[in-house]
Amino acid sequence: MADAQPLDLTEPVATPRTRAILARRLADIVGLPSSRITPRERWIVGDLLYDVIRASELELRQRCARRLAGLSDAPHRLLRTLACDKFEVAEPILEQCQALTDFDMLEIVSAGSMQHRLTIAKRENLSETVSAALAAYGEPPVVERLLRNRTATLATPTLDHLVGAALEESGYAQLLIRREELRPAQAFRLFWGCEHMDRFQILERFAVDRTILLEASEDIFPMASQESWSDPMVARVLRYIDRRQRDREASERSTYGSLEGVCEAMAMDGAHPDIVSEIANLASVDHRLVARMIEDMAGEPLAILCKATGLKWPSFQNMWRGLGRREDSDPCHQARKVFDSLSVEKAQTVLRYWNLSMEDKD
C-alpha cells in the first residue's frame, strides 16, 4: 500500500530540463510494443521512471500520466502512483487506462480523493469488489454515479448497505429501483423510505402473484397438517405461500366479529393498542408491522394490508378516519391508486415479505 500513497512533493522547484527529457525517453521506452521490449526490461525502465516522477514537479507528472494512460503493459506500480497523485495528474489514468486491475483500483479508492472515486465510479465494467469499496465510503455523489453506471456490478451485501443508507439519502431510492440486481426483499425494505412514485414502481416491479408456488405446493399443506405443523421452517414457508391471509379462528374469538368490525371500531375509537393488536391477530401479521403501517403518514401500506386481507375500500376509509386523517388528501388518493392497482395475491406477496422480515428480527 505504501507505494500507492499520494505524492508529497515540493512543487515550486521546476523540473530541470535534462530530467524532463530523461522522463520522456523513459516513458517512451515503457510504451514500446511487446515485440520491441521484454517484460523484464519494461519493469526495469518502469522502476527508473517511478523514481524520476516521484521527485519531479506537477507538470512533468501530468505529461507522464497522459503518455502512459493508453498503455496496456505499463508497470502497475507506476500506474498506481500516478493514479493516486493529485487529481489533475491522475485523471487521464483513471479515465482511460484499461490496464488497472481491481487491486490497483482498491488502492486508488483508499488513497485518493473523492474526485478520484467519482471518476472510478463511472468506469466501465466495475467489479463487485471495486463497487463495494466505492459504496463503503458513503459519499452521495460517488454512490449516485455508481448506481447510474449500468456496467458496474453490485453484490448483494453492497445493495443491502445502500438500501439501508437510502433511509438517510433519499436520492438513492430511484436509482436503486432501476438496478437489475435489486431483489424483492431489498425492494420491499426500500419501500418504507420512498416517495409515492418510487413506492408505486416497486410494487409494479416486485409485487407478483404466487401461482406457481401454489400449484407446486398444494399437496404439501395437508402433509404439514398431518404432522401438526411440527416443522417451524415448513410452517414459515407455507405461511408465505398460503392463499388465505386472515386467521379464521381469531375471527371467531374476536369481540369485534371480523376484521371489518375492527376497522369500524377504529373509525370511532382511534388506533389504540387493543385495536392495533386485534388487526394484527385477525390479519395474521406481526403487531409491529401493523404499528409501522399506522405510523407511516402515507396510505400505501394500509392499502396493501386491506387488499391482502380482502377488505373493501370503506374499511380503509374507516381506518383512515380512525387515524384522524383527511380523505381528500393526496396520501389517501395515492393509497386508492395502490389499492385499485393490486390484486389480492400481489398485495399478499408484499405483506408476507414484510411480515417475514419482522420475524427475522426476533
Side-chain angles (χ1 to χ4, degrees):
M1 287 278 187
D3 290 336
Q5 294 303 308
L7 298 178
D8 183 15
L9 301 172
T10 305
E11 297 297 352
V13 180
T15 300
R17 178 172 178 271
T18 303
R19 183 188 297 176
I21 294 173
L22 175 61
R24 186 168 62 247
R25 298 278 172 84
L26 292 173
D28 288 341
I29 296 171
V30 167
L32 287 173
S34 299
S35 59
R36 297 279 309 279
I37 187 173
T38 67
R40 289 164 297 283
E41 290 174 314
R42 198 188 309 276
W43 295 336
I44 291 171
V45 177
D47 287 342
L48 296 174
L49 181 56
Y50 171 82
D51 288 336
V52 171
I53 64 170
R54 282 182 64 85
S56 299
E57 66 174 356
L58 180 71
E59 184 181 354
L60 178 58
R61 304 200 307 273
Q62 286 178 303
R63 289 203 300 268
C64 285
R66 288 193 295 268
R67 177 69 181 87
L68 299 176
L71 302 181
S72 59
D73 295 325
H76 285 267
R77 184 174 74 153
L78 188 56
L79 292 176
R80 287 197 302 273
T81 299
L82 291 168
C84 290
D85 202 338
K86 293 183 177 181
F87 183 71
E88 53 262 50
V89 175
E91 187 174 12
I93 301 287
L94 299 176
E95 289 186 344
Q96 304 169 34
C97 186
Q98 299 303 308
L100 294 176
T101 65
D102 281 2
F103 178 80
D104 297 330
M105 284 188 280
L106 289 174
E107 290 203 12
I108 299 162
V109 167
S110 175
S113 67
M114 189 172 76
Q115 283 183 301
H116 289 70
R117 291 185 283 275
L118 273 169
T119 307
I120 291 175
K122 67 180 181 180
R123 284 175 64 94
E124 291 188 357
N125 302 312
L126 287 180
S127 71
E128 292 181 348
T129 303
V130 176
S131 296
L134 291 167
Y137 272 82
E139 298 163 324
V142 176
V143 171
E144 290 178 11
R145 183 171 289 184
L146 175 66
L147 289 174
R148 288 190 178 94
N149 185 344
R150 292 299 184 186
T151 68
T153 306
L154 302 179
T156 297
T158 302
L159 283 168
D160 286 338
H161 168 73
L162 294 179
V163 166
L167 296 175
E168 299 294 331
E169 293 292 339
S170 58
Y172 294 175
Q174 284 188 343
L175 300 172
L176 282 164
I177 293 167
R178 298 181 189 136
R179 296 297 307 192
E180 288 298 321
E181 303 99 327
L182 193 69
R183 295 295 176 257
Q186 295 165 330
F188 295 136
R189 180 181 163 213
L190 181 65
F191 180 96
W192 295 100
C194 291
E195 299 296 329
H196 171 69
M197 290 308 299
D198 295 332
R199 287 180 165 188
F200 200 78
Q201 286 184 40
I202 288 172
L203 295 175
E204 282 190 317
R205 180 177 171 190
F206 293 101
V208 297
D209 61 38
R210 304 179 310 286
T211 303
I212 294 177
L213 280 172
L214 286 163
E215 291 174 351
S217 58
E218 195 169 1
D219 61 330
I220 299 178
F221 283 89
M223 293 167 58
S225 180
Q226 288 175 4
E227 296 177 357
S228 302
W229 301 93
S230 58
D231 187 331
M233 183 53 67
V234 170
R236 172 186 167 94
V237 173
L238 292 184
R239 277 201 307 273
Y240 172 80
I241 300 173
D242 195 2
R243 293 180 188 276
R244 296 173 300 175
Q245 182 63 50
R246 299 197 200 188
D247 187 329
R248 294 175 183 173
E249 294 180 0
S251 294
E252 293 173 359
R253 297 190 303 267
S254 176
T255 57
Y256 298 96
S258 66
L259 193 52
E260 287 83 355
V262 182
C263 294
E264 291 172 5
M266 183 171 168
M268 294 185 294
D269 303 332
H272 59 75
D274 289 344
I275 289 283
V276 174
S277 179
E278 194 69 0
I279 290 173
N281 291 337
L282 298 179
S284 298
V285 294
D286 193 295
H287 72 276
R288 293 170 297 179
L289 177 56
V290 177
R292 185 172 192 180
M293 291 174 166
I294 288 172
E295 290 167 2
D296 192 288
M297 294 307 295
E300 300 97 342
L302 286 177
I304 292 168
L305 173 67
C306 290
K307 196 58 175 274
T309 54
L311 291 171
K312 304 303 182 185
W313 183 247
S315 292
F316 174 90
Q317 292 174 306
N318 282 328
M319 298 173 77
W320 201 248
R321 282 194 290 270
L323 294 171
R325 299 175 188 172
R326 292 169 44 194
E327 293 177 54
D328 61 350
S329 63
D330 286 342
C332 190
H333 296 319
Q334 291 164 354
R336 184 61 190 262
K337 179 181 177 183
V338 167
F339 184 88
D340 291 341
S341 69
L342 290 178
S343 67
V344 171
E345 281 200 347
K346 289 183 177 181
Q348 286 178 351
T349 295
V350 181
L351 187 63
R352 290 174 187 184
Y353 256 108
W354 283 339
N355 202 52
L356 287 174
S357 70
M358 287 292 177
E359 292 178 1
D360 289 340
K361 292 179 181 178
D362 293 334

